[in-house]
């Protein structure tokens, strides 16, 4: 299973299912902890500054660790937003005022987009199509 998670199946793209998991850990951290909560935390894997955002450097042997890091990051992001109002604002890295509601909307879009990618990758990996 870990080997399938790290496999790239839509050549020439290097995108993998595990890369998407790693990417979402980075995106969660960027928007909820760094941007909204203002936490001074580094990258989970690699970050926006290198243009990779967790998608590259995937290693099948690290699949369990990477999933655990993703789960831990989601918990930390949930804690960063707990008890905060949806209309609470912060200033984005680009200087625009944004709200927690905006972050949640962005994350819904981000997960939806990458779930579509994951469906293609999974189908190419196991040959099963969904409904």
């Amino acid at each position: 299973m870990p080997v399938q998670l790290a496999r790239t199946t839509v050549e020439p793209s290097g995108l993998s299912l595990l890369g998407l998991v790693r990417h979402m850990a980075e995106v969660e951290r960027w928007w909820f902890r760094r941007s909204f909560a203002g936490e001074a935390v580094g990258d989970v894997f690699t970050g926006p500054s290198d243009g990779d955002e967790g998608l590259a450097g995937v290693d099948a042997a690290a699949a369990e660790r990477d999933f655990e890091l993703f789960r831990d990051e989601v918990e930390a992001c949930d804690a960063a937003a707990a008890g905060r109002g949806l209309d609470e604002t912060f200033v984005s890295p680009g200087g625009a005022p944004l709200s927690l509601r905006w972050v949640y909307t962005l994350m819904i879009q981000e997960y939806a987009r990458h779930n579509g990618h994951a469906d293609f990758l999974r189908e190419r990996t196991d040959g099963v199509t969904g409904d």
Side-chain angles (χ1 to χ4, degrees):
M1 177 81 147
V3 170
Q4 288 179 319
L5 289 170
R7 183 174 165 220
T8 61
T9 60
V10 186
E11 295 79 13
S13 172
L15 191 60
S16 68
L17 291 168
L18 188 54
L20 288 174
V21 169
R22 292 163 46 99
H23 173 69
M24 291 312 299
E26 292 295 344
V27 173
E28 288 266 352
R29 178 173 282 198
W30 175 260
W31 285 109
F32 285 105
R33 295 181 65 196
R34 284 184 176 153
S35 298
F36 175 70
E39 295 180 24
V41 291
D43 299 329
V44 182
F45 299 102
T46 57
S49 60
D50 67 9
D52 172 26
E53 298 180 339
L55 293 168
V58 174
D59 177 7
E64 286 185 46
R65 180 208 65 185
D66 290 354
F67 268 93
E68 187 64 29
L69 288 169
F70 168 76
R71 285 188 291 268
D72 290 347
E73 193 56 38
V74 169
E75 282 184 23
C77 291
D78 287 349
R84 309 286 287 271
L86 291 176
D87 294 322
E88 187 172 331
T89 62
F90 63 99
V91 177
S92 75
L98 300 173
S99 68
L100 180 58
R101 181 185 317 276
W102 183 91
V103 173
Y104 277 119
T105 302
L106 173 78
M107 294 305 294
I108 290 167
Q109 294 170 357
E110 187 84 8
Y111 274 100
R113 178 174 33 263
H114 292 314
N115 281 338
H117 296 140
D119 195 39
F120 284 126
L121 292 166
R122 187 220 25 91
E123 183 179 339
R124 292 288 307 258
T125 299
D126 64 16
V128 176
T129 59
D131 293 330

